């Protein structure tokens, strides 16, 4: 009887060792894992790439195995369409450059208002830009498509096609609206991606 029990124990140990060997044939790679063999997959012993001895190569570990995940690549932001701006036939130089977004040309707030003869201020608490020239006042809110123009005590509400926004730490405002609100004429050469502003 003792011989029979001993024989059965040895047979069980032999098959267990064989199964483990079949599940993990071949050498481990630098991550401490390898791909399952077709034989092991067929037996249901493992699937795909896995690790051994709890070495997860930085991934999560369950029972000494884990799935290997390739690092994700950063998604690049879409390139903005740069636009050249001329004021009274003089090319303007902005930092950051003027660009077109959803059909609207945006330019840095301070240079455009000052070039058009307005004084400008920005309230960081309310995120509102206020520009004043003579008896005219313009108020634009960052992220808000509604702007206000106060001329001689009469306030008009203007719906913008694109709101002011912050880009590279600079408040960018819609060029056409700003220029026309301050009495300038604006033409856009689509083929050359160039805006021409003429003051009166």
């Amino acid at each position: 009887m003792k011989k029979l029990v001993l024989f059965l124990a040895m047979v069980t140990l032999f098959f267990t060792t064989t199964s483990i060997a079949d599940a993990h044939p071949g050498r481990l790679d630098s991550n401490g894992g390898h791909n399952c063999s077709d034989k092991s997959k067929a037996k249901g012993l493992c699937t795909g790439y896995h690790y051994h001895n709890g070495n997860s190569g930085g991934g999560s570990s369950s029972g000494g195995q884990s799935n290997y995940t390739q690092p994700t690549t950063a998604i690049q932001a879409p390139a903005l369409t740069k636009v050249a701006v001329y004021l009274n036939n003089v090319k303007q130089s902005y930092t950051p450059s003027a660009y077109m977004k959803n059909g609207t040309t945006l330019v840095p707030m301070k240079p455009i208002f000052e070039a058009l003869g307005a004084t400008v201020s920005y309230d960081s608490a309310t995120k509102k830009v206020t520009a004043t020239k003579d008896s005219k006042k313009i108020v634009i809110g960052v992220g808000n498509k509604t702007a206000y123009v106060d001329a001689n005590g009469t306030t008009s509400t203007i719906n913008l096609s694109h709101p002011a926004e912050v880009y590279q730490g600079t408040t960018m405002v819609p060029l056409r609206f700003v220029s026309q609100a301050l009495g300038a004429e604006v033409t856009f050469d689509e083929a050359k991606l160039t805006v021409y502003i003429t003051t009166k």
Side-chain angles (χ1 to χ4, degrees):
M1 184 68 180
K2 287 182 180 179
K3 288 183 178 180
L4 180 60
V5 172
L6 185 60
F7 174 75
L8 289 174
M10 289 178 65
V11 169
T12 304
L13 182 62
F14 172 78
F15 281 113
T16 304
T17 308
T18 305
S19 297
I20 292 170
D22 285 344
H24 307 111
R27 295 184 180 179
L28 303 181
D29 61 19
S30 60
N31 292 317
H34 70 110
N35 285 306
C36 270
S37 67
D38 292 336
K39 189 191 274 187
S40 299
K41 287 179 188 176
K43 290 181 181 179
L45 298 172
C46 59
T47 58
Y49 186 93
H50 65 276
Y51 297 98
H52 291 273
N53 302 323
N55 180 7
S56 64
S60 62
S61 178
S62 174
Q65 297 184 12
S66 72
N67 292 328
Y68 176 70
T69 308
Q70 291 289 346
T72 53
T73 335
I75 299 170
Q76 295 285 335
L80 296 170
T81 304
K82 302 295 183 187
V83 177
V85 178
Y86 285 81
L87 174 61
N88 294 328
N89 295 319
V90 177
K91 187 173 183 179
Q92 304 299 292
S93 178
Y94 300 128
T95 304
S97 301
Y99 58 85
M100 185 182 292
K101 191 171 181 182
N102 299 328
T104 299
T105 300
L106 295 148
V107 293
M109 165 190 79
K110 190 174 174 67
I112 188 65
F113 277 121
E114 290 180 347
L116 293 169
T119 57
V120 62
S121 63
Y122 178 71
D123 186 334
S124 57
T126 61
K127 295 185 178 180
K128 285 186 178 177
V129 177
T130 303
T132 308
K133 182 182 180 182
D134 302 327
S135 59
K136 188 175 283 187
K137 183 168 79 171
I138 300 168
V139 179
I140 306 172
V142 172
N144 193 338
K145 282 191 171 184
T146 303
Y148 303 93
V149 178
D150 186 311
N152 300 315
T154 304
T155 303
S156 303
T157 302
I158 311 294
N159 293 318
L160 304 172
S161 57
H162 194 286
E165 64 182 26
V166 176
Y167 174 66
Q168 294 183 356
T170 300
T171 302
M172 309 291 285
V173 294
L175 181 144
R176 182 178 290 276
F177 162 72
V178 167
S179 301
Q180 292 178 340
L182 293 173
E185 292 180 354
V186 179
T187 56
F188 177 59
D189 187 329
E190 190 172 356
K192 294 181 179 178
L193 290 173
T194 302
V195 177
Y196 299 93
I197 306 169
T198 308
T199 57
K200 298 176 182 177

